[in-house]
Amino acid sequence: MNNMIIRQGRRILSIVLATSLFCACTPPPRQTGTPSDALYEKYHAEDLSMQESFNQFTADLFRDEISDSGISFHFSIADPASRGIDTVPLTLGDYSLDKMKQGTSDLQEAKKKLEGFNPRKLTSDQRLTYQILYSYIDTELTSDGMELYAQPLTTTIGIQAQLPVLFAEYSFYNKADVDHYLSLLSTIDEYYGQILEFEKQKSAAGLFMSDTAADHVLKSCEAYLIQPDHSFLAETFNTRIDALTDLTDEEKAEYKKQNLKILEEHFIPAYKNLISGITALMGTGTNEKGLSWFPEGKKYFEYLVHSNTGTSYDSVKSLKKAIERQMNSDIKALGQITKDHPEVLDSLDHYSFKYTKPEEILESLKSQITTDFPELPPCSYTVKYVPGALESSLSPAFYLVPPLDRYQDNVIYINNNPRFKNEDLFTTLAHEGYPGHLYQNVYFLSKKPNDLRSILSFSSYSEGWATYVEYYSYTLDNGLDPELGKLLAHNTAVTLGIYAYLDICINYEGWDKEATAKYLGTFYNVENTDITDSIFNSLVENPTNYMEYYVGYLEIMEMRSTAERILKDDFNLKDFHTFLLDVGPAPFSVIQPAFRNWLAKQLRS
C-alpha cells in the first residue's frame, strides 16, 4: 500500500503572494560600444535575479500550502523555524465547497505567476520544478466545476480511515508538539462536521455514494468507537509522552488525562456523528455503478486519471491500449515460463520465502539491492503493527512519509488481519521498504530538493516505483526457485493489470456487475460471485486507485524496455534506476521527455 496521505478533497494550493515577478524572455539589443564581457555579466545578473525570485515563489507556495492543516504541517517539516516559520496551524483544514472553489482561483493566480518566469533562465533543477508545477496546476484546473465529485470518505483510503493513524504517528519532539497535538485532536469533530456537510451537498446534487459504499464506510467508522482508556490513540499517546525528557511526571500525568478527555468529548462523538449523518443520507445515492453513470462522470474520471497517474498518454483510450499491451507482454512471459519449466506449476501452492521476520527481510533486501540501486545515506526504520481494532479497515501494509528534514526516521506498518495471510511479506516489504517507498523517499529527500516538491503528491510515480521494485524482488535471493520467482512476478503484474483495465471499463465505459463478471469468467476463469462483486465494488468506490499502481509500473517498464532495446549491451540497470530516482516524484508526462534526454546522453557516452 502507499505512503499514507490525507487528501483535502481535491489537492489545493492556497496561494497569497506579495512577491513581484518579472519576465525577461528576450535579451535587450546590444548597445554600440558595449564590451561583450560587460553584457554577459548583465545577462548573468538577470538570470540570478530570476532564479532568486523563483526560489522565493516556490518557498511562498510551500509555506502557504502546509499552513492549511496542522497535520500536513507537522508531517511535512519537523523544524519549521529552519524555514522561517513560527506559526503552527491549529486546524485540520477547511473541507468545504467554498474552499475548493477558492482553491481553483488560487491555482489560476499561481499559473499566472509561474508564466512570469522564463524557464531558460532558471537552473536545471528549477526548470524541472517549473515543469512539474506547471503540469500539476494545469491538471488540477481541469476539475473546475466538478468539486462535488470528490470522495473524502472511502473504505480504506478515506480520511476517516487514515486520519487516526496519522494522529497515532504524530511525533512529539518537545512539549509544544503535545499542546499542538491536543489542540488538533480537539477539532476533529468540527472537521468531520465539515465533511458531513460536504456529503449532504453531494447528496443534494445527486452525487452521494451508493448504499453498498456507505455500508463499507460505516464499518470503517465503527472500528474507531473504542472506549478512550482502551483506545490505541491513548496507548500511543502515553508511549510518546513517556519518552519526552522535558516534562515532569506530574505534567505527563496531566497530559494523559487531557488526552482521554478529548478522546471522550471530541474524537468518539466525531465518529458517532459521522455514522449517524451517513446513515441518514443512505438511500439518496442511487448510482450503484461506476463514475460514468453520473452526469459528468466520464469527464471527472479523465481528470482523476491524469491527476492520480500523471500518465504520458493523452487519452484514456490510448492508455487502455497501453495497459492491454503490457498485460499481454506479462501473459506471454507467463506462457513461456510454464512451457520451458512446467515443473514450477507444482510449486504454486506450497512455496515459501527463506526470510519471514520483518527485520530480517528488510536487512536482506537492503544488502541485496546494492548492485542495481545507488547507495542511500544512513537512515533508520521502525516496523509497527496495525492495532487489532483497525485491522479490518486498513491496508495490508503502508509506509509513512517522514518530514523533509527528518528523512532518517521511517515507519512501516504491517496489518496482521487473517485476510492478508496469503500476502507475501518479503515482496510486501520490498514495496514498502527497500527498494520501495522507504528507499525512494530517503533517496529523494536526502538530495535536499526544492521544499515544494516534497509536498506535491504524484502517487503514480511513488506507487509505480514501489510496484515495479516489488516485482523485481521476486528475482532476488529469497529462497524461491528463480523461474518460480519470475512466474509469480508476472502473475502478480497481470492481476493488478486486470484491476486497472476494469477500472476503465467500469468507471469510464459503463460496465455493470454482469459485464464485469462475464469478462472475469471468460478470460480468467473467475466464477465466484463474491470475488467479482468485491472487485466491482472496490473499483466503484475507489476510481483510479489501482491505476495509480499499475500505470506507474507500466510507464517505468516501457522506459526500461526502450532503454534496453536501444542501448543493448550498454544498458546498465543501476544507471536507469538512478535516473528515475534523481528525477524524483513527477508526472510521467514530465519524466518521459527527461528520459529521452537521458537516453540520448547514454548513447553519446
Side-chain angles (χ1 to χ4, degrees):
M1 187 54 189
N2 65 338
N3 42 301
M4 183 167 278
I5 56 172
I6 289 292
R7 291 181 179 170
Q8 305 283 332
R10 56 171 289 192
R11 293 172 297 213
I12 298 169
L13 286 174
S14 300
I15 303 153
V16 182
L17 295 176
T19 310
S20 175
L21 303 177
F22 62 93
C23 182
C25 295
T26 307
R30 180 171 295 191
Q31 300 297 317
T32 304
T34 303
S36 60
D37 302 57
L39 192 57
Y40 172 79
E41 290 299 323
K42 182 178 181 181
Y43 291 160
H44 187 61
E46 286 178 351
D47 294 349
L48 291 175
S49 177
M50 182 163 284
Q51 291 163 16
E52 186 177 341
S53 294
F54 185 79
N55 284 339
Q56 186 61 52
F57 170 69
T58 56
D60 288 341
L61 285 177
F62 170 77
R63 281 194 295 270
D64 289 337
E65 176 67 3
I66 66 170
S67 296
D68 260 3
S69 160
I71 285 283
S72 297
F73 185 94
H74 189 73
F75 276 84
S76 297
I77 187 162
D79 180 19
S82 67
R83 301 306 194 272
I85 304 173
D86 54 13
T87 303
V88 178
L90 299 179
T91 171
L92 291 174
D94 179 358
Y95 203 106
S96 67
L97 188 56
D98 288 343
K99 178 66 174 178
M100 291 180 176
K101 291 183 180 298
Q102 180 59 46
T104 298
S105 176
D106 292 341
L107 285 171
Q108 290 167 340
E109 182 64 23
K111 186 176 179 179
K112 289 179 185 176
K113 299 284 188 182
L114 193 57
E115 288 171 340
F117 294 98
N118 178 359
R120 287 176 295 179
K121 290 185 174 290
L122 302 177
T123 67
S124 57
D125 284 345
Q126 287 178 325
R127 277 196 299 276
L128 180 58
T129 300
Y130 177 101
Q131 292 164 348
I132 290 169
L133 184 57
Y134 200 98
S135 172
Y136 174 92
I137 292 174
D138 251 10
T139 299
E140 293 308 306
L141 285 175
T142 62
S143 68
D144 185 22
M146 298 185 289
E147 291 83 3
L148 285 174
Y149 280 81
Q151 297 174 294
L153 306 176
T154 59
T155 315
T156 58
I157 60 174
I159 291 175
Q160 88 291 344
Q162 291 191 357
L163 187 54
V165 180
L166 293 179
F167 271 120
E169 284 299 326
Y170 192 103
S171 298
F172 294 163
Y173 303 116
N174 51 49
K175 181 178 183 292
D177 288 327
V178 185
D179 293 323
H180 298 154
Y181 171 92
L182 293 173
S183 295
L184 287 171
L185 186 60
S186 67
T187 67
I188 192 170
D189 44 358
E190 178 186 340
Y191 183 57
Y192 281 7
Q194 293 175 354
I195 293 175
L196 191 55
E197 185 58 36
F198 182 78
E199 292 292 345
K200 290 176 182 176
Q201 290 175 294
K202 281 173 66 77
S203 173
L207 301 174
F208 188 65
M209 69 185 88
S210 68
D211 283 359
T212 301
D215 272 333
H216 294 157
V217 170
L218 290 175
K219 286 185 175 67
S220 169
C221 290
E222 287 164 1
Y224 294 98
L225 298 181
I226 309 166
Q227 285 302 313
D229 53 350
H230 291 91
S231 171
F232 73 100
L233 282 178
E235 179 185 340
T236 56
F237 180 86
N238 294 347
T239 301
R240 284 171 286 163
I241 280 286
D242 288 336
L244 282 176
T245 56
D246 61 343
L247 294 176
T248 65
D249 289 343
E250 291 75 18
E251 287 174 319
K252 290 178 180 180
E254 181 56 33
Y255 272 133
K256 291 174 183 178
K257 275 201 237 175
Q258 286 182 45
N259 183 50
L260 290 175
K261 191 169 188 290
I262 291 170
L263 288 174
E264 184 175 0
E265 296 180 358
H266 296 278
F267 182 83
I268 292 177
Y271 277 90
K272 286 182 176 178
N273 291 339
L274 205 53
I275 289 170
S276 61
I278 296 299
T279 302
L281 291 172
M282 288 181 73
T284 66
T286 56
N287 178 22
E288 292 275 351
K289 292 183 279 192
L291 266 178
S292 67
W293 291 86
F294 287 117
E296 292 187 275
K298 289 188 73 168
K299 184 180 176 184
Y300 188 71
F301 184 77
E302 289 172 347
Y303 154 72
L304 285 181
V305 167
H306 288 288
S307 178
N308 292 341
T309 75
T311 183
S312 61
Y313 288 90
D314 59 2
S315 69
V316 174
K317 183 179 179 181
S318 60
L319 177 59
K320 184 185 177 188
K321 288 181 179 177
I323 291 172
E324 289 176 312
R325 282 197 303 271
Q326 183 59 49
M327 286 176 65
N328 287 336
S329 173
D330 282 308
I331 290 171
K332 183 179 177 181
L334 280 173
Q336 193 63 48
I337 293 169
T338 55
K339 178 183 176 183
D340 295 342
H341 304 276
E343 70 280 359
V344 299
L345 294 174
D346 298 330
S347 307
L348 284 176
D349 292 329
H350 57 267
Y351 69 87
S352 61
F353 291 85
K354 68 178 175 181
Y355 304 105
T356 56
K357 295 178 181 177
E359 286 76 12
E360 69 178 9
I361 289 173
L362 287 165
E363 288 304 312
S364 170
L365 287 165
K366 188 177 177 181
S367 64
Q368 288 195 60
I369 65 173
T370 55
T371 302
D372 293 333
F373 297 83
E375 188 178 355
L376 277 191
C379 64
S380 63
Y381 60 82
T382 303
V383 175
K384 298 186 178 182
Y385 292 90
V386 171
L390 308 184
E391 287 180 348
S392 62
S393 59
L394 291 176
S395 308
F398 53 87
Y399 165 78
L400 290 172
V401 179
L404 64 91
D405 51 347
R406 287 187 73 99
Y407 63 80
Q408 300 88 346
D409 304 331
N410 298 273
V411 175
I412 295 173
Y413 268 92
I414 296 172
N415 191 338
N416 276 333
N417 190 309
R419 71 191 174 104
F420 301 132
K421 66 181 179 181
N422 292 324
E423 297 283 336
D424 292 327
L425 190 56
F426 185 89
T427 54
T428 295
L429 289 178
H431 183 113
E432 306 299 343
Y434 298 93
H437 287 311
L438 183 154
Y439 174 92
Q440 181 264 310
N441 277 279
V442 169
Y443 185 94
F444 179 63
L445 294 175
S446 70
K447 298 292 183 181
K448 301 193 182 307
N450 183 296
D451 286 348
L452 183 62
R453 287 200 59 192
S454 71
I455 62 169
L456 291 177
S457 174
F458 297 104
S459 51
S460 200
Y461 170 92
S462 302
E463 295 301 348
W465 170 267
T467 301
Y468 163 79
V469 298
E470 175 186 339
Y471 301 160
Y472 162 91
S473 73
Y474 278 106
T475 67
L476 295 175
D477 179 14
N478 51 33
L480 298 182
D481 174 272
E483 296 304 322
L484 175 61
K486 292 176 189 175
L487 182 78
L488 291 170
H490 288 297
N491 186 63
T492 310
V494 171
T495 302
L496 183 59
I498 293 169
Y499 276 77
Y501 181 84
L502 285 175
D503 201 336
I504 294 173
C505 295
I506 292 167
N507 287 301
Y508 193 68
E509 297 178 354
W511 284 17
D512 56 16
K513 275 187 182 179
E514 288 70 27
T516 304
K518 183 178 179 182
Y519 169 82
L520 290 170
T522 302
F523 294 103
Y524 297 101
N525 263 347
V526 179
E527 303 291 349
N528 187 315
T529 54
D530 287 343
I531 294 175
T532 57
D533 285 356
S534 175
I535 291 172
F536 182 85
N537 291 333
S538 177
L539 293 170
V540 166
E541 292 170 31
N542 303 286
T544 74
N545 181 48
Y546 291 100
M547 289 181 71
E548 292 178 20
Y549 297 74
Y550 191 78
V551 172
Y553 159 73
L554 158 73
E555 296 265 5
I556 292 172
M557 285 301 296
E558 286 186 341
M559 285 186 280
R560 176 172 167 173
S561 298
T562 299
E564 288 175 332
R565 185 179 71 253
I566 292 174
L567 297 177
K568 298 183 172 63
D569 292 341
D570 292 326
F571 174 78
N572 181 284
L573 189 55
K574 190 172 190 174
D575 289 346
F576 174 69
H577 290 157
T578 302
F579 156 73
L580 283 173
L581 291 161
D582 283 344
V583 172
F588 288 101
S589 55
V590 172
I591 295 173
Q592 284 284 0
F595 167 69
R596 289 192 288 273
N597 290 336
W598 173 82
L599 193 55
K601 287 179 183 177
Q602 298 297 304
L603 281 170
R604 287 197 297 271
S605 64

